[in-house]
Amino acid sequence: MVSTVAIKAFVLVAASLPFTQAQTIQDGNQVVAANETTVAPGAVQVSPDSSDSGVSYFSFEATQLTPDVIANLTALNLTGIEYFDFANTSSSSTTTKRGYSASCKTLPGDAAWPPHLVWSVLDLLLGGALIKSVPVAAPCYSDWAQYDPDQCSTITAQWNSPQFQSSQPTGIDWPLFEGVTCLPPTLGPTNATCTLGGMPSYIVNVTNVAQIQLAVNFARSLNLRLSVKNQGHDFNSKNVGAGSLSVWTAHLNDIQYLGPKFSIGSFTGPALKIGAGVETLQVYEYADSHGLEVVGGVARTVGLGGGYIAGGGHSPLMSMYGMAADQVLALEVVLPDGRFVSVSENKYPDLFWALRGGGGSTFGIVTSLIIRAYPKLPITTLTFSFGTSENNVTNDTFWEGMDLVWATFPDYADAGHYRYWSIVCASESSCSFSASPHWANNYTTAQLQDFVAPLFANLTALGMPPQNVVYAEYDGVLNAFTNTFAADTEVVGTWTYHTGSRLFPRGNWENATSLAAQSAALRNTAVEAGMMLGYNFKAAVNPTVNQDNAVNPAWRDTLSHTMLGAVWSQTATPDEIAAANQVLTQRLQTWRDVTPGSGAYMNEADINEPDFQQSFYGSNYPRLYALKQQYDPWGVLYAITAVGSEDWYVTGQIPYYPTQNGRLCRVRAA
Ligand SMILES: Cc1cc2nc3c(=O)[nH]c(=O)nc-3n(C[C@H](O)[C@H](O)[C@H](O)COP(=O)(O)OP(=O)(O)OC[C@H]3O[C@@H](n4cnc5c(N)ncnc54)[C@H](O)[C@@H]3O)c2cc1C
Ligand SMILES: *[C@@H]1O[C@H](CO)[C@@H](O)[C@H](O)[C@H]1NC(C)=O
Ligand SMILES: *[C@@H]1O[C@H](CO)[C@@H](O)[C@H](O)[C@H]1NC(C)=O
Ligand SMILES: *[C@@H]1O[C@H](CO)[C@@H](O)[C@H](O)[C@H]1NC(C)=O
Ligand SMILES: *[C@@H]1O[C@H](CO)[C@@H](O)[C@H](O)[C@H]1NC(C)=O
Ligand SMILES: *[C@@H]1O[C@H](CO)[C@@H](O)[C@H](O)[C@H]1NC(C)=O
Ligand SMILES: *[C@@H]1O[C@H](CO)[C@@H](O)[C@H](O)[C@H]1NC(C)=O
Ligand SMILES: *[C@@H]1O[C@H](CO)[C@@H](O)[C@H](O)[C@H]1NC(C)=O
Ligand SMILES: *[C@@H]1O[C@H](CO)[C@@H](O)[C@H](O)[C@H]1NC(C)=O
Ligand SMILES: *[C@@H]1O[C@H](CO)[C@@H](O)[C@H](O)[C@H]1NC(C)=O
Ligand SMILES: *[C@@H]1O[C@H](CO)[C@@H](O)[C@H](O)[C@H]1NC(C)=O
Ligand SMILES: *[C@@H]1O[C@H](CO)[C@@H](O)[C@H](O)[C@H]1NC(C)=O
């Protein structure tokens, strides 16, 4: 029985740890006879109705680590149990259970790294959910035991699929900032080798809350780096870390409709409860089956309740309803001290504020969220393009056309629309614009044709009549999304480009000088970089939800979130990658210069963003930083550019090419 093994393992651990104090060796069988179910896994079933949110727990949330479980385990007098105990925030210090103030997190190979048996005990308490990391592409490399050329071919063929990567414990969508340490050879750098690099050492394949609590307590007590990975889409690989214990929340994907008149705090209306791991398409499909839609993004596989909402979340519906984070009514969260709490307007209101927009992997690990839903509304979409290829249009005429388009940004956003647009310039004299798609929420085709007629007439008058004009009507978000955002554009696993972005504020449209400066900056960067893409929308004011949250205040004035990329070849050296990243940061400076005081979207931002605290969090930063100190004084949770991350650094980095492949250390000695 698992429990027998657990007890025996504990006895062995007690005997083998170099740092144990007094040890009481138990007769394992006797202890098991006393009570087996309370020992392994380290969890208890609580009543599903005991959530402070007033909404029943998902079944995975009713399996918890409680002080009673710890007390029972402690009563067995087995050394090592204290690694799984909760922390007392009030009496917190950076001193770990091991009795020293660590300035760096422990890495494999260090004397303090837990021996294999301790990991076995963790696995037993987790009920077997611990996975020892092996890089996904290890079968491609003869120095790994997994070497298997046939399997390597299979892996290589699927490498760019988000579904494939998210099915793998060490799957990674954006390997760049892990360190590009193990790709299939044909997709990797020249003379590629395979190491774990910035990947975690162990992964907890989470299927209940107790497992998250055990992992959090274990990592905190033993000074291990903890990483949190959901669907793994973060552009800056904020879900990994060398030597870390990874909490993998992707399988927490329950969804429940709470009815049309769900009531909490000041809200009454339709709502869904979603697990943190649900993918966007899954939520869209579920909502649609109930005649509803939700504020979500435009990638099938992005974790709606993970990094997306934590970072704010922009959406085709946001010009109608506000940001995705604004839609959150309550959350269930494992805190850095190991405790599992409900967070809402009335429970932990400070965390309710911070968890909606203040960024992932910072204040706690979210297991589920209650989000507002809306009745389905018809949507008309439009795609069109224009460019210098038409009728010998000159570069200046093209940019006059762009000025016409820019001028429409306030009205289109105020009408509730969403435009995803791009500009491609093969050279200074050869540029094209495309809106693909423009979503007109709650519009018919006839209404949208009327709406765009003045712009189209003006473009035509310039000699650039809109090309490839296609209108389509849909019954709601699900069908509009699946038909206007192609699945095959969701390519992951690549490492030869990187993007950065900027939020362009409405104030620029209210001042002709500013608008002209903005237009000139966008023109220059489009020509220099060859491509840019962006969104035209706004974060609508929505009195039906609580919008007093940690979403970057810059979002509240934004009319466009615009992105720029840097690319390099598969033969680029790390120094060349760093140089390309630096060029990107410099180009983005011209955007920063024309948008003083605004910011950038943390989920789609330059990893080298100067003064990221101001850019990603704005005036919320001091309050967020104070909450980070209050709830996580140990620094259990870390991610690059997350709140409080300036107190840490990763060793061995090339400037402008930061990776998670190094040791995480405190900037200020503890
Ligand atoms: C193809 C594509 C399309 C996109 N489209 C949009 C869009 O339309 N709108 C938009 O706003 N964004 C969009 N994004 C960006 C997206 O919001 C971010 O990549 C987001 O962070 C992904 O969330 P995730 O949970 O899948 O990622 P992860 O990489 O798993 O997590 C992101 C961050 O959140 C943390 N985190 C994850 N889960 C939890 C949890 N349960 N508790 C605490 N912390 C957690 C992680 O540690 C990490 O720091 C897109 C990204 C891609 C790749
Ligand atoms: C152990 O405790 C659980 C929970 O209280 C109880 O259901 C079970 O019967 C106990 N097992 C034994 C062997 O006493
Ligand atoms: C702790 O042990 C006691 C005594 O065996 C038992 O009644 C109780 O249910 C256990 N609690 C938990 C949370 O396992
Ligand atoms: C654990 O130790 C305490 C105090 O030393 C003792 O009273 C208790 O009986 C021990 N428990 C077990 C299960 O041996
Ligand atoms: C937390 O505080 C309680 C009460 O003071 C104490 O019994 C417990 O041992 C403390 N836990 C830790 C991990 O320090
Ligand atoms: C790759 O390996 C070959 C053979 O060892 C060597 O000649 C070459 O310089 C290497 N290329 C790079 C880019 O390191
Ligand atoms: C992780 O857990 C899920 C849910 O139980 C399971 O379907 C999946 O196969 C597991 N993955 C791995 C790699 O163990
Ligand atoms: C572009 O200009 C050339 C030369 O002036 C002319 O021959 C050609 O017909 C023009 N093309 C279009 C599409 O007007
Ligand atoms: C851009 O347009 C201007 C005026 O129309 C023209 O003088 C210039 O040569 C063009 N530049 C390029 C690179 O085509
Ligand atoms: C959608 O449009 C209809 C009629 O055009 C209007 O009555 C309704 O209020 C609109 N819905 C929203 C949410 O704007
Ligand atoms: C189109 O041009 C007219 C006349 O210059 C102008 O008043 C109007 O604002 C323009 N509209 C758009 C949408 O470009
Ligand atoms: C317009 O913006 C410029 C800076 O771009 C500023 O100097 C000027 O004062 C602003 N004008 C008005 C009327 O606000």
Side-chain angles (χ1 to χ4, degrees):
M1 301 214 30
V2 174
S3 50
T4 309
V5 183
I7 294 300
K8 287 190 170 150
F10 259 101
V11 173
L12 286 170
V13 169
S16 70
L17 293 184
F19 45 80
T20 50
Q21 303 103 32
Q23 299 167 11
T24 309
I25 307 298
Q26 295 283 318
D27 176 337
N29 292 322
Q30 252 180 15
V31 172
V32 171
N35 193 306
E36 60 190 24
T37 58
T38 55
V39 176
V44 66
Q45 290 296 128
V46 305
S47 161
D49 299 326
S50 57
S51 168
D52 277 346
S53 72
V55 174
S56 293
Y57 286 131
F58 282 140
S59 60
F60 75 78
E61 291 172 321
T63 303
Q64 299 180 5
L65 183 73
T66 62
D68 280 355
V69 174
I70 296 293
N72 281 6
L73 291 170
T74 305
L76 301 176
N77 294 339
L78 298 171
T79 305
I81 281 299
E82 70 267 28
Y83 302 133
F84 302 96
D85 197 0
F86 300 91
N88 289 329
T89 313
S90 52
S91 63
S92 64
S93 73
T94 53
T95 305
T96 68
K97 295 275 183 174
R98 304 280 301 280
Y100 60 89
S101 291
S103 60
C104 293
K105 303 272 185 180
T106 302
L107 282 184
D110 293 348
W113 184 254
H116 178 71
L117 267 173
V118 175
W119 290 104
S120 302
V121 171
L122 173 63
D123 188 30
L124 288 160
L125 293 182
L126 293 170
L130 191 67
I131 298 170
K132 194 168 180 358
S133 289
V134 173
V136 177
C140 300
Y141 293 87
S142 57
D143 54 338
W144 284 84
Q146 290 75 13
Y147 182 59
D148 177 346
D150 289 342
Q151 213 191 328
C152 175
S153 304
T154 310
I155 290 165
T156 305
Q158 301 176 79
W159 188 260
N160 299 121
S161 151
Q163 286 80 9
F164 172 70
Q165 292 292 347
S166 66
S167 72
Q168 303 295 309
T170 56
I172 182 161
D173 284 11
W174 311 105
L176 183 63
F177 295 114
E178 168 273 308
V180 202
T181 63
C182 187
L183 272 83
T186 55
L187 303 176
T190 314
N191 295 350
T193 57
C194 178
T195 61
L196 262 185
M199 301 302 300
S201 291
Y202 287 90
I203 295 140
V204 182
N205 187 10
V206 171
T207 53
N208 67 52
V209 163
Q211 292 163 338
I212 301 178
Q213 297 176 285
L214 287 161
V216 165
N217 289 345
F218 186 77
R220 189 191 57 250
S221 301
L222 288 167
N223 189 38
L224 305 179
R225 184 168 176 181
L226 191 75
S227 52
V228 183
K229 186 176 82 165
N230 192 43
Q231 290 296 337
H233 269 313
D234 191 89
F235 282 127
N236 291 334
S237 303
K238 283 158 63 185
N239 48 56
V240 296
S244 64
L245 171 60
S246 171
V247 172
W248 186 24
T249 56
H251 298 107
L252 304 181
N253 43 29
D254 298 27
I255 312 187
Q256 184 190 356
Y257 178 37
L258 300 175
K261 294 200 159 47
F262 172 73
S263 189
I264 186 169
S266 52
F267 173 81
T268 301
L272 302 180
K273 176 165 164 157
I274 60 171
V278 291
E279 296 184 1
T280 301
L281 183 59
Q282 189 193 349
V283 189
Y284 286 173
E285 286 172 342
Y286 181 91
D288 190 81
S289 72
H290 289 91
L292 298 170
E293 52 199 29
V294 300
V295 178
V298 294
R300 286 157 180 74
T301 48
V302 157
L304 191 93
Y308 170 78
I309 275 183
H314 66 72
S315 166
L317 298 184
M318 66 184 270
S319 303
M320 308 252 304
Y321 301 133
M323 306 287 294
D326 297 343
Q327 316 305 322
V328 177
L329 305 168
L331 312 92
E332 305 282 5
V333 187
V334 175
L335 298 179
D337 68 8
R339 292 181 174 81
F340 184 51
V341 300
S342 296
V343 171
S344 64
E345 262 177 21
N346 302 319
K347 312 275 176 186
Y348 293 92
D350 50 0
L351 284 177
F352 185 60
W353 177 82
L355 288 166
R356 294 174 303 141
S361 195
T362 306
F363 305 100
I365 301 179
V366 174
T367 66
S368 72
L369 310 87
I370 297 175
I371 58 171
R372 194 207 193 300
Y374 297 87
K376 276 169 70 176
L377 281 180
I379 294 160
T380 296
T381 66
L382 162 64
T383 54
F384 73 93
S385 60
F386 63 82
T388 52
S389 61
E390 294 174 64
N391 307 316
N392 295 332
V393 167
T394 68
N395 62 71
D396 283 341
T397 304
F398 173 79
W399 290 102
E400 279 179 55
M402 282 312 306
D403 282 335
L404 292 171
V405 173
W406 301 140
T408 60
F409 272 37
D411 287 350
Y412 282 40
D414 288 340
H417 296 200
Y418 167 94
R419 268 190 297 186
Y420 182 47
W421 57 267
S422 61
I423 296 172
V424 176
C425 289
S427 69
E428 187 189 341
S429 56
S430 171
C431 293
S432 63
F433 167 89
S434 105
S436 54
H438 170 168
W439 278 38
N441 295 305
N442 205 20
Y443 269 49
T444 62
T445 301
Q447 285 172 316
L448 184 55
Q449 282 170 330
D450 284 351
F451 189 80
V452 300
L455 172 64
F456 279 18
N458 289 1
L459 287 169
T460 303
L462 270 184
M464 288 191 300
Q467 307 287 299
N468 311 312
V469 178
V470 179
Y471 291 89
E473 291 188 356
Y474 299 100
D475 64 339
V477 165
L478 175 65
N479 287 319
F481 168 65
T482 53
N483 286 288
T484 59
F485 287 89
D488 61 11
T489 60
E490 291 179 29
V491 169
V492 304
T494 57
W495 59 280
T496 53
Y497 71 91
H498 173 55
T499 52
S501 64
R502 191 70 182 165
L503 299 172
F504 288 80
R506 185 182 290 263
N508 279 8
W509 275 265
E510 292 165 349
N511 176 330
T513 312
S514 301
L515 194 60
Q518 171 180 303
S519 173
L522 289 168
R523 174 177 179 164
N524 289 338
T525 42
V527 169
E528 276 176 18
M531 171 165 191
M532 68 170 67
L533 55 84
Y535 302 80
N536 168 207
F537 47 33
K538 69 170 182 180
V541 172
N542 182 349
T544 72
V545 292
N546 179 330
Q547 293 183 296
D548 176 14
N549 57 31
V551 168
N552 188 346
W555 269 114
R556 305 295 175 191
D557 297 319
T558 289
L559 288 177
S560 188
H561 160 54
T562 305
M563 301 177 71
L564 196 66
V567 294
W568 49 85
S569 81
Q570 218 181 313
T571 58
T573 63
D575 285 336
E576 287 165 350
I577 294 172
N581 282 335
Q582 186 170 10
V583 167
L584 175 65
T585 304
Q586 285 162 351
R587 283 188 179 143
L588 288 168
Q589 189 57 44
T590 66
W591 293 5
R592 295 181 189 108
D593 289 345
V594 297
T595 55
S598 186
Y601 179 34
M602 71 174 85
N603 280 351
E604 299 178 326
D606 182 7
I607 198 169
N608 295 306
E609 180 79 18
D611 194 5
F612 76 82
Q613 296 91 336
Q614 191 284 324
S615 274
F616 301 166
Y617 308 92
S619 56
N620 291 333
Y621 199 76
R623 183 175 172 197
L624 287 166
Y625 186 83
L627 288 170
K628 175 68 177 174
Q629 305 315 303
Q630 182 183 336
Y631 285 99
D632 188 12
W634 315 274
V636 173
L637 290 165
Y638 165 88
I640 189 164
T641 72
V643 170
S645 60
E646 66 269 44
D647 295 340
W648 299 84
Y649 66 99
V650 177
T651 59
Q653 301 297 303
I654 302 173
Y656 286 97
Y657 184 15
T659 80
Q660 296 312 309
N661 188 6
R663 186 190 292 277
L664 185 64
C665 294
R666 279 182 194 278
V667 171
R668 294 188 291 271

